[in-house]
Amino acid sequence: MLSALLDEVANLVEAPVPILGKFKESFLELPKDLLIMVMQKHQKYFAITDEDGRLLPYFIAVANGAINEMVVQKGNEAVLRARYEDAKFFYEMDVRKKFSEFRNQLNGILFHEKLGTMLDKMRRVQNTVTPIGLALGIKEDKLHVVEDAASLAMSDLATAVVTEFTSLSGIMARHYALRDGYSEQISEALFEITLPRFSGDILPKSDAGIILSIADRLDSLVGLFGAGCQSSSTNDPFGLRRISYGLVQVLIENNRNLDLRYALELAAAVQPIKIDAATIDDVHQFVTRRLEQFLVDKGISPEVVRSILTERANWPCLAAKSAYKMEALLKGELLPKVVEAYSRPTRIVRGKDLNVDTEVDEAAFETDEERALWSTFLSLGSKIHPGIEVDDFVETSVQLSQPLEKFFNNVFVMVENEKIRKNRLSLLKKIADLPRGIADLSVLPGF
């Protein structure tokens, strides 16, 4: 916020003249965030703190050109005093009530005409936090914090301070919750549900905050898509791109693996309107596009991103880890060998009329090369699975290179004997299918 303010002020003045102003120390009884926000957002003033970060009763205003410094100082102090009197009035209105009393007032704030009020929305979030927490691997005995936080989340939207200063949503929830004696964990989660608020913002770090942030974003995405509010190339009035990009960030940068489709279905089940499978597919694809953007923004090549997301988009954190590893592996020697090894069986079986369930008949093998390749496949089959790490997959798959080379050098696949031909094709198909759930190697260089 401070660097943005500095840039803004620098662009507002041609001949900057800094002015030191003062305000009454009694205003320091108000929350620090409220005082700074009034200073910075409304007046473009810079706050001053001591070396411990405590706010001091001074500010810096920046005037333009030749001025009477005393007159300008007094004028700015008077304006800020009036602003702080307003803030004090709103704050004192709020603290006359318990924070929990604001929860029901969310019923007067409309979220969307088809999706109900903010109270309806937060009740939906409250209904999904437990299954989402379990899906994230949080132990059941630790979920009481997020359940308690969910019963208060977003209640500050009904407070006078946040109604007047909307950017303090979450910040004031934390403050009021602490003031009313709620635990640090619950209070922090009430702030973290709003994170990230903008590009480059901090992310939630506590388990409760992460779950709330995810649940709230899932509810918004599924509900608004179901209500027909999808963004277009030129219009995104509900900020769905920002919401889904934030969802991706929270999952990846906190190393939380989540089955995205399952989570979307949880959010869909509690919506007041019917959410069909096609809508869930649309939201899934929308989030996947943001995941793709996130990975490309991190410097990963588009080919690697496409390769991983084709198979692992449903697990954003696993997909990101896999993309980082594959990007590094692509610069080494092993991955190109593995890509080449899988390319020949994949190309041969592509377009062939093969039953997926066709089993390989060992008795139909005619050559040692077929038996050796089948034996290698069987030994790899137990090690390669959809959740395997990419580097482990590559190291394991290297074992296929030599048996495949010998097979193609000595065995003709498309023989006239239908039984033998289909058996050989079935063997190659099983090998070609090993990367399923891991990566689509066909989009990588060298395939």
Side-chain angles (χ1 to χ4, degrees):
M1 175 71 183
L2 193 57
S3 60
L5 177 64
L6 189 61
D7 290 341
E8 185 177 3
V9 171
N11 288 320
L12 285 173
V13 294
E14 291 184 356
V17 180
I19 304 291
L20 180 65
K22 191 175 190 308
F23 59 86
K24 286 194 294 185
E25 286 193 34
S26 61
F27 285 127
L28 291 175
E29 295 172 6
L30 296 174
K32 174 184 172 182
D33 290 303
L34 174 57
L35 294 172
I36 290 176
M37 201 282 301
V38 170
M39 255 192 261
Q40 293 184 350
K41 187 169 183 182
H42 290 274
Q43 298 306 127
K44 317 301 179 194
Y45 298 162
F46 294 89
I48 299 176
T49 60
D50 65 14
E51 57 189 8
D52 296 321
R54 285 190 293 267
L55 191 64
L56 297 174
Y58 299 96
F59 64 91
I60 297 172
V62 181
N64 189 34
I67 53 163
N68 183 322
E69 290 193 19
M70 185 58 68
V71 171
V72 172
Q73 177 191 333
K74 294 298 180 187
N76 281 304
E77 288 175 348
V79 171
L80 187 61
R81 183 167 59 250
R83 289 282 191 185
Y84 278 173
E85 289 291 356
D86 288 345
K88 183 181 178 184
F89 172 74
F90 295 131
Y91 180 72
E92 288 176 345
M93 274 181 63
D94 289 342
V95 297
R96 289 188 200 123
K97 297 180 180 179
K98 288 184 177 179
F99 182 53
S100 58
E101 292 178 31
F102 289 103
R103 167 80 168 187
N104 285 333
Q105 289 180 230
L106 292 176
N107 206 33
I109 303 173
L110 184 67
F111 173 58
H112 187 278
E113 60 183 359
K114 293 182 181 178
L115 304 173
T117 65
M118 283 303 299
L119 181 59
D120 296 324
K121 176 177 171 56
M122 297 325 297
R123 281 175 176 161
R124 293 196 296 271
V125 169
Q126 200 172 349
N127 287 333
T128 58
V129 290
T130 297
I132 287 173
L134 293 172
L136 287 168
I138 308 299
K139 291 182 179 175
E140 200 162 354
D141 59 350
K142 292 190 175 181
L143 288 174
H144 66 277
V145 174
V146 71
E147 288 164 356
D148 290 345
S151 70
L152 293 167
M154 298 289 189
S155 295
D156 59 332
L157 292 177
T159 64
V161 167
V162 174
T163 301
E164 186 68 20
F165 309 110
T166 53
S167 61
L168 289 176
S169 173
I171 294 171
M172 294 311 297
R174 176 175 59 189
H175 175 84
Y176 290 141
L178 285 170
R179 194 176 184 281
D180 280 7
Y182 289 98
S183 70
E184 284 274 358
Q185 287 177 300
I186 290 174
S187 303
E188 192 62 23
L190 296 178
F191 166 59
E192 289 183 328
I193 188 176
T194 65
L195 303 178
R197 296 157 294 188
F198 47 82
S199 177
D201 194 16
I202 57 174
L203 298 174
K205 291 299 173 192
S206 70
D207 287 343
I210 289 167
I211 294 167
L212 278 175
S213 176
I214 290 169
D216 180 51
R217 280 165 169 71
L218 289 169
D219 179 82
S220 294
L221 287 167
V222 172
L224 290 167
F225 262 74
C229 301
Q230 295 90 330
S231 60
S232 67
S233 57
T234 57
N235 199 23
D236 187 14
F238 290 93
L240 295 177
R241 290 189 185 91
R242 176 181 53 80
I243 291 170
S244 55
Y245 197 89
L247 173 64
V248 166
Q249 279 184 292
V250 170
L251 289 170
I252 294 174
E253 298 192 15
N254 283 302
N255 194 24
R256 300 303 174 105
N257 223 6
L258 180 68
D259 180 338
L260 180 59
R261 185 167 294 279
Y262 170 72
L264 292 172
E265 287 168 353
L266 284 176
V270 296
Q271 297 300 319
I273 56 177
K274 181 171 172 54
I275 307 292
D276 58 23
T279 300
I280 293 176
D281 287 344
D282 288 345
V283 181
H284 195 285
Q285 187 177 20
F286 187 77
V287 176
T288 300
R289 294 286 77 79
R290 305 291 83 70
L291 174 57
E292 182 178 0
Q293 179 191 341
F294 176 88
L295 294 173
V296 171
D297 287 347
K298 294 291 183 183
I300 299 173
S301 66
E303 294 86 3
V304 167
V305 173
R306 277 200 305 276
S307 171
I308 295 295
L309 294 191
T310 300
E311 297 295 337
R312 290 189 161 176
N314 194 49
W315 300 86
C317 185
L318 177 62
K321 281 184 185 175
S322 303
Y324 290 134
K325 287 181 178 179
M326 184 169 278
E327 181 75 12
L329 287 166
L330 207 54
K331 296 167 186 171
E333 295 180 1
L334 284 186
L335 183 56
K337 283 183 182 176
V338 168
V339 170
E340 185 182 358
Y342 280 112
S343 67
R344 287 192 72 180
T346 303
R347 284 199 298 265
I348 286 174
V349 300
R350 188 180 285 160
K352 301 291 189 300
D353 184 20
L354 289 172
N355 191 324
V356 178
D357 300 321
T358 302
E359 289 302 320
V360 174
D361 181 4
E362 293 182 56
F365 290 152
E366 291 188 325
T367 66
D368 290 340
E369 288 80 8
E370 286 173 283
R371 296 183 188 95
L373 183 57
W374 176 242
S375 176
T376 304
F377 168 78
L378 291 177
S379 69
L380 299 188
S382 59
K383 299 173 187 174
I384 295 176
H385 53 85
I388 191 173
E389 297 287 349
V390 164
D391 46 355
D392 293 336
F393 165 72
V394 170
E395 285 180 25
T396 306
S397 295
V398 167
Q399 299 170 43
L400 279 168
S401 295
Q402 196 172 10
L404 273 169
E405 187 176 348
K406 287 183 177 179
F407 177 88
F408 285 118
N409 286 341
N410 297 286
V411 178
F412 181 57
V413 177
M414 304 304 287
V415 293
E416 287 187 20
N417 186 310
E418 185 181 7
K419 181 181 177 181
I420 293 173
R421 181 176 72 250
K422 285 194 171 179
N423 199 51
R424 288 173 179 173
L425 285 170
S426 295
L427 169 58
L428 293 178
K429 174 140 182 60
K430 288 193 178 295
I431 291 169
D433 286 347
L434 281 173
R436 285 274 176 89
I438 304 163
D440 178 4
L441 301 179
S442 69
V443 299
L444 294 178
F447 190 86

